[in-house]
Amino acid sequence: MADKVDAAIESVRKRFPFEGYMDTQTGACRTVGETLLKYLAPGATILDFGSGPCDKTAVAQELGYRCSACDDLSDDWHKAGGNKEKILAFARDCGIDFRQITGNELPFTEQQFDMLMMHDVLEHLHDSPRDLLNDLLALVKPEGWFFTTVPNAANIRKRLDLFVGKTNLPAFDGYYWYPGPWRGHVREYVRGDLIKLCQFLSLEIVELGTRHHMIHKLKPALRPVYRALTCLCPDWRDSWVLVARKKPAWQPKKSLPEEDLKKIFGPDCPHPLYH
């Protein structure tokens, strides 16, 4: 399996229009390829929501899956120097059905896909993922798959930063000088968050674990130490991998009874859903 995935990554790397980008995504692309082959037969249909430049989508397509992708392509780098056109051309050449999102409408039909995957997307959402994920899961076939990767809010680097008085949030200078609406991380996740997410969405967790997707940011001399520490405590690794499945008779659930909301927010909280 590993050789097949590595060959797919190398094939995509040779065609990818942005030099050096794939070097930072190798670990994540390997996780995507190996996870897909573990749970889904080639030929299955996949929707990659928030696909960005379609690097991971292209690896899945190379492995024999039939991929659709969507993104708003509104990051500054997407809009600079003809990059959007390069992304669209790359997706087309790979055989990916790419749709650029411009509003809240999802340009697909219900129960169209075997799997929904979202990689490094949830942490960028400014609002609750509740409505979006329910709408996206409606596009997945009965007892189909949800596969997501997100940064770990409690990885060892962030724990150490807090210990010495630094922040575990994005760097303040980048946040302060960011042009236009903030597109960076808003809320990252820990194990308990992802467990609750699946409970709320009526999904059965099949796999929940951690990976080293950002280890390339460490100096080579520090990597063995980092690997040893995170081997002792895997929840200190930098990224979460969640694979879950829609439960039988799945139905979207976007609201709670008032009594349940009061248990969450408190009886005196003037939450708009109470009214």
Side-chain angles (χ1 to χ4, degrees), residues 33 149 169 173:
T149 55
L169 298 174
D173 50 356

Side-chain angles (χ1 to χ4, degrees), residues 110-121:
E110 288 194 3
Q111 301 185 11
Q112 180 177 344
F113 300 100
D114 294 296
M115 175 183 277
L116 163 68
M117 67 178 191
M118 302 171 70
H119 301 298
D120 296 321
V121 174

Side-chain angles (χ1 to χ4, degrees), residues 9-20:
I9 293 172
E10 188 57 32
S11 176
V12 172
R13 187 194 308 274
K14 291 176 180 177
R15 292 175 286 146
F16 198 68
F18 305 106
E19 186 176 357

Side-chain angles (χ1 to χ4, degrees), residues 130-131 134 200 252-258 260-261 273:
R130 180 185 64 250
D131 289 349
N134 275 287
F200 298 154
K253 185 177 182 180
K254 296 185 178 182
S255 62
L256 287 176
E258 182 174 333
D260 290 338
L261 286 171
L273 292 180

Side-chain angles (χ1 to χ4, degrees), residues 150-155 158-159 162 168 187-190 193 237-238 240:
V150 292
N152 182 2
N155 71 39
K158 292 166 186 168
R159 291 170 184 266
L162 287 172
N168 62 336
R187 192 191 195 286
E188 295 183 351
Y189 288 72
V190 296
D193 298 333
R237 293 172 183 156
D238 60 71
W240 287 104

